[in-house]
Structure formats: C-alpha cells, structure tokens
Amino acid sequence: MKPKGHITLFILIAVCLTAAAAFGAGCVDDAGIFPRPGQDFPYISPDETVSATEDEIEQYIYIFTNEERTAYGLPAVSYDPVLSAAAKAHSADMAANGFFEHTNLKGQGPAARAADAGYEIYKDLGEGWYTEGVGENLFKMPHGNVREIGYVGKYDAERLAKEIVDGWMESPGHRANILDKGYEKTGIGVRYDGETYYYVTQDFW
C-alpha cells in the first residue's frame, strides 16, 4: 500500500504536454525540433551523408546526457532497459504514424506508456513523500534529401546525438529534465521514419 502524504508531481510533464499541444514541437519551446530558431540547416551534398544506426545514436545520447549531469556535479543516470523499451515504442509510434507529441494516438502520456511497458512509475522519496510519473524529452531531427530544403546533414551517430543533447540543453524544460537531481534512470529510443526524420524519446525516472 502506498503511504499517505504529499504527492510531488513531475511538473515538467504537465508543462511538456501543454507545450506540445500548443507548438507541436515537444517540450516548452522549439528546441525539440531541428533546426532551432535562428539556426540554419547544415546543407551537405548527397555524397556526404553518413550512416548512423538507431542503437548508436541512443548510446551517444546516453553518454552526452551523463556528461552534462557530471559537468553540473550531478550523479549519472543509469540506463534502464524497460524504460528504454517504452521510449523506443513511442519513437516508433511517432515515426510510423507521423505525429510528434508526448501524448500518443491512444491518449496515453509518458507515465501511462511507461506503465504499459511494465515500468514501476511509483517512487518512494521517504518521510511520506512520493512521486508517480516519468519525465520526458522529445526531438525530431531531419536528414537526407528534405523536400523544399535540399540535403541536410545526417552526420555520424556521435555528431547527431550531440546536436540533440545540445538542443535539449538550450531549452529550459528539456534542460531541467536532464539536470534534475531526483532522476536516477533513463531510457532512450530513436527511430527513423524511412524518409526524412529521426524521432527521439528520452524518458527519466
């Protein structure tokens, strides 16, 4: 039985969901989609595209996330395979169905999706305090021959992941998730839609 006490909500989830509905671009502001305001696409020629597997991108996102945490004196988050399964499923869903939101087409937000994947979203903080939920960052990165744009840098996995994490760090809401001292675990899912975009989901617990 869960203890009685205060419920600490992951406020950023509510903010993310509101912003996603308003902007269709992830959490809080436009930093979840590339290029960011005032930034140009990195034009390249077709011969300069470099393959990057989804697994490789996920691994580098994990590395760069913990580099940011360490730089601010925070402990690293551990990689959680169950939370990652939920993140991968959401990225695959967005890529297959062409939407970019924290809430999927079934009306499920981050916490409901994690719970469906078998994740325990309840965390006992002690002294009667607890949380229920997960934090989430989204990103949508184009590459290749983008219609009306031309060829956009696909890069290698390391550079692509760095662009994503740097974009999150420039956004107050995404940054708050990465640097939240209460988070202990993360799950990461990247899926390419086969034409234009990498869809990226990073969940925190």
Side-chain angles (χ1 to χ4, degrees), residues 90-101:
H90 189 56
S91 290
D93 190 16
M94 290 191 292
N97 293 292
F99 71 97
F100 183 54
E101 301 282 349

Side-chain angles (χ1 to χ4, degrees):
M1 176 177 288
K2 297 175 183 176
K4 295 180 180 180
H6 302 283
I7 299 177
T8 303
L9 297 177
F10 289 140
I11 300 299
L12 187 57
I13 289 180
V15 173
C16 287
L17 294 175
T18 301
F23 302 110
C27 175
V28 178
D29 57 29
D30 291 334
I33 188 167
F34 189 83
R36 294 177 289 283
Q39 183 178 29
D40 293 329
F41 277 97
Y43 293 108
I44 61 173
S45 74
D47 294 335
E48 292 177 306
T49 57
V50 179
S51 295
T53 70
E54 294 159 350
D55 287 346
E56 289 172 337
I57 299 167
E58 292 167 5
Q59 291 167 10
Y60 278 112
I61 289 173
Y62 176 67
I63 290 170
F64 292 135
T65 294
N66 277 328
E67 284 185 356
E68 293 292 350
R69 290 179 64 87
T70 300
Y72 284 87
L74 298 171
V77 286
S78 61
Y79 180 86
D80 191 293
V82 179
L83 197 56
S84 289
K88 291 174 190 288
H90 189 56
S91 290
D93 190 16
M94 290 191 292
N97 293 292
F99 71 97
F100 183 54
E101 301 282 349
H102 291 279
T103 303
N104 66 17
L105 301 181
K106 297 179 181 178
Q108 296 173 311
R113 290 188 273 104
D116 269 3
Y119 201 78
E120 175 54 71
I121 61 173
Y122 169 80
K123 182 187 292 186
D124 187 346
L125 302 178
E127 299 182 356
W129 292 83
Y130 64 94
T131 61
E132 285 187 297
V134 296
E136 183 169 88
N137 288 344
L138 300 180
F139 209 102
K140 184 178 177 182
M141 171 74 85
H143 89 95
N145 191 8
V146 180
R147 185 172 58 189
E148 299 181 0
I149 294 294
Y151 278 90
V152 178
K154 184 175 182 181
Y155 308 137
D156 57 19
E158 182 176 2
R159 187 175 174 187
L160 195 153
K162 189 69 166 63
E163 288 280 0
I164 291 167
V165 175
D166 284 351
W168 282 334
M169 289 298 292
E170 292 175 12
S171 158
H174 297 83
R175 178 189 177 95
N177 268 346
I178 291 175
L179 300 182
D180 191 317
K181 64 181 180 181
Y183 289 140
E184 301 171 350
K185 300 179 180 181
T186 190
I188 303 164
V190 176
R191 180 59 60 91
Y192 175 52
D193 66 4
E195 294 183 4
T196 306
Y197 292 105
Y198 285 104
Y199 289 83
V200 184
T201 304
Q202 183 175 35
D203 289 331
F204 296 90
W205 184 86

